[in-house]
Amino acid sequence: AQAFKLTRSPARAFTRTFAQRDSAAPPLAMAASDRKRQFEQMASQDGFVAALDQSGGSTPKALRLYGIEDSSYKGEVEMMDRMHEMRSRIITNPKFDGSRVVAAIL
């Protein structure tokens, strides 16, 4: 298991990481042509929706599947810190772009 340590508020750090993500992430208000392109990609090409949202109940299992053992955090706050770190790693990966990921639920 890998241990993580944050120096900032995880929610704030995640938000800043996401905001600094390159321009490949579509804006919240999309043009009709972008929505059409996404629809066509989902219907006929490779790609997926990255569902990175978690409820408290499913978070421990999601973290274990990612390789983070329950013993690496104490309590719900630290557990959610690990979840934010995992999401930040995923969305900053160069392969997390519009050619594969059509949308993300955060």
Side-chain angles (χ1 to χ4, degrees):
Q2 185 176 10
F4 299 99
K5 185 166 183 112
L6 288 179
T7 57
R8 297 189 176 107
S9 161
R12 186 176 300 144
F14 178 76
T15 301
R16 192 169 81 246
T17 299
F18 190 73
Q20 291 172 345
R21 177 76 172 92
D22 65 24
S23 61
L28 293 176
M30 297 175 59
S33 61
D34 290 333
R35 284 193 298 275
K36 182 179 179 189
R37 181 192 56 77
Q38 281 187 333
F39 177 80
E40 289 172 357
Q41 182 174 358
M42 289 292 288
S44 63
Q45 298 176 15
D46 291 338
F48 61 96
V49 175
L52 302 176
D53 61 325
Q54 292 296 148
S55 67
S58 62
T59 300
K61 181 179 178 184
L63 289 170
R64 282 192 300 273
L65 291 170
Y66 190 69
I68 300 171
E69 298 299 324
D70 297 353
S71 61
S72 71
Y73 55 86
K74 292 183 178 83
E76 190 165 327
V77 171
E78 286 187 19
M79 176 182 69
M80 294 311 291
D81 288 350
R82 301 298 86 78
M83 196 69 206
H84 288 301
E85 292 164 355
M86 181 184 84
R87 290 177 182 147
S88 294
R89 285 180 154 184
I90 292 169
I91 67 164
T92 58
N93 185 303
K95 294 186 184 277
F96 194 89
D97 64 17
S99 68
R100 295 174 183 84
V101 181
V102 179
I105 302 169
L106 303 171

